[in-house]
Coordinates of all heavy atoms in Angstrom, one line a residue:
K760 N -10.1 54.0 3.9 CA -10.3 54.6 2.5 C -9.2 54.4 1.7 O -9.3 54.1 0.5 CB -10.9 56.0 2.8 CG -9.8 57.0 3.3 CD -10.3 58.4 3.4 CE -9.3 59.4 4.0 NZ -9.8 60.7 4.2
Y761 N -7.9 54.5 2.1 CA -6.8 54.4 1.4 C -6.6 52.9 0.8 O -6.3 52.6 -0.3 CB -5.6 54.7 2.1 CG -5.5 56.4 2.5 CD1 -5.6 56.7 3.8 CD2 -5.4 57.2 1.5 CE1 -5.7 58.1 4.0 CE2 -5.4 58.7 1.7 CZ -5.5 59.0 3.1 OH -5.5 60.4 3.4
A762 N -6.9 52.0 1.8 CA -6.8 50.6 1.5 C -7.9 50.2 0.4 O -7.6 49.5 -0.5 CB -7.0 49.7 2.7
L763 N -9.1 50.8 0.6 CA -10.2 50.5 -0.3 C -9.9 51.1 -1.7 O -10.1 50.4 -2.7 CB -11.5 50.9 0.3 CG -12.8 50.7 -0.7 CD1 -13.0 49.3 -0.8 CD2 -14.0 51.4 0.0
L764 N -9.4 52.3 -1.7 CA -9.1 52.8 -3.1 C -7.9 52.0 -3.8 O -8.0 51.9 -4.9 CB -8.5 54.3 -2.9 CG -9.5 55.3 -2.7 CD1 -9.0 56.6 -2.3 CD2 -10.4 55.6 -3.9
G765 N -7.0 51.6 -3.0 CA -5.9 50.8 -3.6 C -6.5 49.3 -4.1 O -6.1 49.0 -5.2
A766 N -7.4 48.9 -3.4 CA -7.9 47.6 -3.9 C -8.8 47.7 -5.2 O -8.6 47.0 -6.1 CB -8.8 47.0 -2.7
I767 N -9.5 48.8 -5.2 CA -10.3 49.2 -6.4 C -9.4 49.5 -7.5 O -9.7 49.0 -8.7 CB -11.3 50.4 -6.1 CG1 -12.3 49.9 -5.0 CG2 -11.9 50.8 -7.4 CD1 -13.2 51.1 -4.6
R768 N -8.3 50.2 -7.4 CA -7.4 50.4 -8.4 C -6.9 49.1 -8.9 O -6.6 48.9 -10.1 CB -6.4 51.3 -7.9 CG -6.6 52.8 -7.8 CD -5.4 53.7 -7.4 NE -5.7 55.0 -7.4 CZ -4.7 56.0 -7.3 NH1 -3.4 55.5 -7.2 NH2 -5.1 57.3 -7.4
S769 N -6.6 48.3 -8.0 CA -5.8 47.0 -8.4 C -6.9 46.1 -9.3 O -6.4 45.5 -10.3 CB -5.7 46.2 -7.1 OG -5.0 44.9 -7.5
V770 N -8.1 46.1 -9.0 CA -9.2 45.4 -9.8 C -9.2 46.1 -11.2 O -9.1 45.2 -12.2 CB -10.5 45.3 -9.0 CG1 -11.5 44.7 -10.0 CG2 -10.4 44.6 -7.8
A771 N -9.4 47.3 -11.2 CA -9.4 48.0 -12.6 C -8.2 47.8 -13.4 O -8.2 47.5 -14.6 CB -9.6 49.5 -12.3
Q772 N -7.1 47.8 -12.8 CA -5.7 47.7 -13.4 C -5.7 46.2 -14.0 O -5.2 46.0 -15.1 CB -4.5 47.9 -12.5 CG -3.2 47.7 -13.1 CD -2.1 48.2 -12.1 OE1 -2.3 49.3 -11.6 NE2 -1.1 47.5 -11.9
N773 N -6.0 45.2 -13.1 CA -5.8 43.9 -13.6 C -7.0 43.4 -14.6 O -6.6 42.8 -15.5 CB -6.1 42.9 -12.4 CG -4.9 42.7 -11.5 OD1 -4.0 41.8 -11.8 ND2 -4.5 43.6 -10.7
V774 N -8.1 44.0 -14.6 CA -9.1 43.8 -15.7 C -8.6 44.4 -17.0 O -8.6 43.8 -18.1 CB -10.4 44.4 -15.3 CG1 -11.3 44.4 -16.4 CG2 -11.1 43.6 -14.1
A775 N -8.0 45.6 -17.0 CA -7.6 46.3 -18.1 C -6.5 45.6 -18.8 O -6.3 45.3 -19.9 CB -7.1 47.5 -17.8
Y776 N -5.4 45.0 -17.9 CA -4.2 44.4 -18.5 C -4.2 42.9 -18.6 O -3.4 42.3 -19.3 CB -2.9 44.8 -17.7 CG -2.5 46.3 -18.0 CD1 -3.1 47.3 -17.3 CD2 -1.5 46.4 -18.9 CE1 -2.7 48.6 -17.6 CE2 -1.2 47.8 -19.3 CZ -1.7 48.8 -18.6 OH -1.4 50.0 -18.9
E777 N -5.2 42.4 -18.0 CA -5.4 40.9 -18.3 C -5.8 40.6 -19.7 O -5.4 39.6 -20.3 CB -6.5 40.4 -17.4 CG -6.7 38.9 -17.3 CD -5.7 38.2 -16.4 OE1 -5.1 38.8 -15.6 OE2 -5.6 37.0 -16.4
I778 N -6.4 41.5 -20.4 CA -7.0 41.3 -21.7 C -5.9 41.2 -22.7 O -5.7 40.2 -23.5 CB -8.1 42.3 -22.2 CG1 -9.3 42.2 -21.3 CG2 -8.4 42.2 -23.6 CD1 -10.3 43.5 -21.4
P779 N -4.9 42.3 -22.8 CA -3.8 42.2 -23.7 C -2.9 41.0 -23.3 O -2.3 40.4 -24.3 CB -3.2 43.6 -23.6 CG -3.6 44.1 -22.4 CD -4.9 43.6 -22.1
L780 N -2.8 40.8 -22.1 CA -1.9 39.6 -21.7 C -2.4 38.3 -22.2 O -1.7 37.5 -22.8 CB -1.8 39.6 -20.1 CG -0.9 38.6 -19.5 CD1 -0.1 39.1 -18.3 CD2 -1.6 37.2 -19.2
L781 N -3.6 38.0 -22.1 CA -4.2 36.8 -22.7 C -4.1 36.6 -24.1 O -4.0 35.7 -24.8 CB -5.6 36.6 -22.1 CG -5.8 36.3 -20.6 CD1 -7.2 36.3 -20.1 CD2 -5.1 35.1 -20.2
L782 N -4.3 37.9 -24.9 CA -4.3 38.0 -26.3 C -3.0 37.7 -26.7 O -2.7 36.9 -27.7 CB -4.8 39.3 -26.8 CG -6.4 39.6 -26.6 CD1 -6.6 41.0 -27.0 CD2 -7.1 38.6 -27.4
A783 N -2.0 38.1 -25.9 CA -0.5 37.8 -26.4 C -0.2 36.3 -26.1 O 0.4 35.7 -27.0 CB 0.4 38.6 -25.5
V784 N -0.7 35.8 -25.1 CA -0.5 34.4 -24.9 C -1.2 33.5 -25.8 O -0.7 32.5 -26.4 CB -1.0 34.0 -23.5 CG1 -1.0 32.5 -23.3 CG2 0.0 34.6 -22.3
M785 N -2.4 33.9 -26.4 CA -3.1 33.2 -27.3 C -2.5 33.1 -28.6 O -2.7 32.3 -29.5 CB -4.6 33.7 -27.5 CG -5.4 33.3 -26.3 SD -5.7 31.6 -26.1 CE -6.3 31.1 -27.7
S786 N -1.6 34.2 -28.9 CA -0.8 34.2 -30.2 C 0.1 33.1 -30.2 O 0.4 32.4 -31.3 CB -0.1 35.5 -30.4 OG -1.1 36.6 -30.4
V787 N 0.7 32.7 -29.1 CA 1.7 31.6 -29.0 C 0.8 30.3 -29.0 O 1.2 29.3 -29.7 CB 2.5 31.7 -27.8 CG1 3.3 30.4 -27.6 CG2 3.3 32.9 -27.9
V788 N -0.2 30.3 -28.3 CA -1.1 29.0 -28.3 C -1.6 28.7 -29.7 O -1.6 27.4 -30.1 CB -2.3 29.2 -27.3 CG1 -3.3 28.0 -27.5 CG2 -1.8 29.3 -25.9

Side-chain angles (χ1 to χ4, degrees):
K760 61 182 179 181
Y761 297 112
L763 181 58
L764 279 172
I767 293 172
R768 283 183 172 192
S769 178
V770 173
Q772 177 174 315
N773 276 270
V774 168
Y776 281 86
E777 189 84 11
I778 298 172
L780 184 142
L781 292 176
L782 290 174
V784 171
M785 284 306 299
S786 298
V787 173
V788 171

